[in-house]
Amino acid sequence: MQQTETQTSGGPPAGTRLREYETIYLVRPDLAEDLVDKIVERMRGIVQREGGKVIRVENWGKKKTAYEVKKHLRAIYLRFLYLGTTRMVAEFESNLRMTDDVLKYQSVKVADDVEAATRAVEADVKLPGDPEMPERIGREPEGFGAADFGGRRDDLGDETELPPEAE
């Protein structure tokens, strides 16, 4: 029985045509930079293990979200551009879902039928993100019948005189 040669690089074989995908995901804003890099390397390993090719990884830094995501108003934005199959994207998203530090993710197919050998790998990018802004301060709850909204009449005291018609 003859064995076929296995690939050790983890990338796609020559002449393979794959789809190009983009996944943007948000991680917790209080995460240390080395832990963010650890998540990126884990995702890069998944793409290579499943026979895909990572084109570019962009770290957009810490930015304000449009709305509160899992009780966070800010998040670290990461963008992965890679070649792969639909099965590989499902595995990629499954790992994102299981990682507690990932708040949200979205995958989009960018192109169909891309030649893996001709698509060049681009350098990773790390952007600074937005300047730190203080978190929104929550308002204190007010009870019903607050003094500055429709207060009670008997709070006026005895000094006030009633008009002659009211007596």
Side-chain angles (χ1 to χ4, degrees):
M1 185 181 262
Q2 195 174 26
Q3 288 184 332
T4 59
E5 188 176 324
T6 60
Q7 198 172 15
T8 57
S9 68
T16 304
R17 300 188 76 75
L18 300 169
R19 293 179 177 163
E20 186 172 343
Y21 291 97
E22 169 188 71
T23 299
I24 296 176
Y25 59 97
L26 312 179
V27 296
R28 283 193 1 240
D30 56 346
L31 217 56
E33 195 171 326
D34 59 330
L35 292 176
V36 173
D37 292 339
K38 190 176 178 181
I39 293 173
V40 167
E41 289 308 312
R42 181 173 157 195
M43 294 298 127
R44 190 185 303 266
I46 291 167
V47 170
Q48 291 172 349
R49 184 185 71 220
E50 295 290 325
K53 181 179 182 181
V54 177
I55 303 298
R56 185 177 194 169
V57 178
E58 296 175 6
N59 183 337
W60 292 345
K62 196 181 298 184
K63 295 185 171 289
K64 186 173 187 265
T65 57
Y67 52 89
E68 196 172 292
V69 180
K70 293 189 180 176
K71 299 187 180 183
H72 292 283
L73 294 172
R74 297 176 64 79
I76 298 171
Y77 284 65
L78 293 156
R79 177 181 180 249
F80 251 73
L81 192 63
Y82 55 95
L83 301 177
T85 62
T86 55
R87 194 179 113 236
M88 189 207 59
V89 175
E91 179 69 22
F92 191 90
E93 288 183 347
S94 172
N95 276 276
L96 288 175
R97 197 175 306 118
M98 287 187 290
T99 306
D100 292 334
D101 296 326
V102 175
L103 303 175
K104 197 170 190 70
Y105 61 89
Q106 177 77 49
S107 295
V108 177
K109 181 173 68 172
V110 176
D112 239 346
D113 203 27
V114 176
E115 180 68 39
T118 60
R119 188 68 165 95
V121 175
E122 300 172 14
D124 292 355
V125 176
K126 181 165 182 8
L127 301 174
D130 293 343
E132 285 293 323
M133 300 294 282
E135 291 285 328
R136 182 175 59 184
I137 299 171
R139 295 192 299 187
E140 294 182 22
E142 296 179 7
F144 290 111
D148 46 319
F149 181 74
R152 294 176 37 144
R153 287 259 172 204
D154 53 344
D155 291 341
L156 297 175
D158 293 333
E159 299 93 32
T160 58
E161 295 182 24
L162 293 175
E165 310 85 50
E167 290 180 359

